[in-house]
Amino acid sequence: GGWGLAPILREHSWKLKGIVNGIDYDEWNPETDEYLNSDGYSTYAADMRGLLGGKKQCKLALQKQLGLPENEDACLVGFIGRLDQQKGVDLIADAQDW
């Protein structure tokens, strides 16, 4: 795999940085994310109290920012990735009766 890029990537590994199949939980932490302290967003703990409070507040703030109706019960789906069939985008569409 890798179309022959593996040796090149190994050779230049000293100057390459990335996250393989995941996120950096220190940087993307809802309890400490400084960017969640503005425009109606809020930091929150990753527990039930946080999910019912701060996460809900962030959802409403995002809906407002995007010009969507503000509805805490609405289904809101986010997807980070290429819109390519091999990434399973069709599974997202098929998972919910829109």
Side-chain angles (χ1 to χ4, degrees):
W3 296 90
L5 290 174
I8 295 169
L9 293 174
R10 277 193 293 277
E11 179 184 342
H12 295 277
S13 64
W14 62 273
K15 61 182 174 182
L16 300 172
K17 182 178 177 182
I19 300 170
V20 179
N21 294 326
I23 63 170
D24 182 336
Y25 290 108
D26 292 328
E27 183 174 350
W28 298 98
N29 183 339
E31 290 186 84
T32 60
D33 191 337
E34 64 183 271
Y35 298 106
L36 290 179
N37 287 320
S38 65
D39 300 323
Y41 293 88
S42 173
T43 56
Y44 59 91
D47 58 19
M48 191 53 75
R49 191 176 70 227
L51 295 177
L52 295 175
K55 188 169 184 178
K56 191 177 290 188
Q57 184 177 339
C58 289
K59 178 181 181 178
L60 293 170
L62 180 62
Q63 290 171 331
K64 181 178 181 178
Q65 183 178 359
L66 297 176
L68 299 170
E70 294 174 48
N71 179 353
E72 63 186 36
D73 296 321
C75 179
L76 183 62
V77 177
F79 175 77
I80 309 277
R82 294 192 325 264
L83 296 177
D84 189 296
Q85 186 166 358
Q86 76 180 39
K87 296 297 182 183
V89 178
D90 56 320
L91 298 175
I92 297 170
D94 292 344
Q96 177 67 33
D97 183 21
W98 304 103

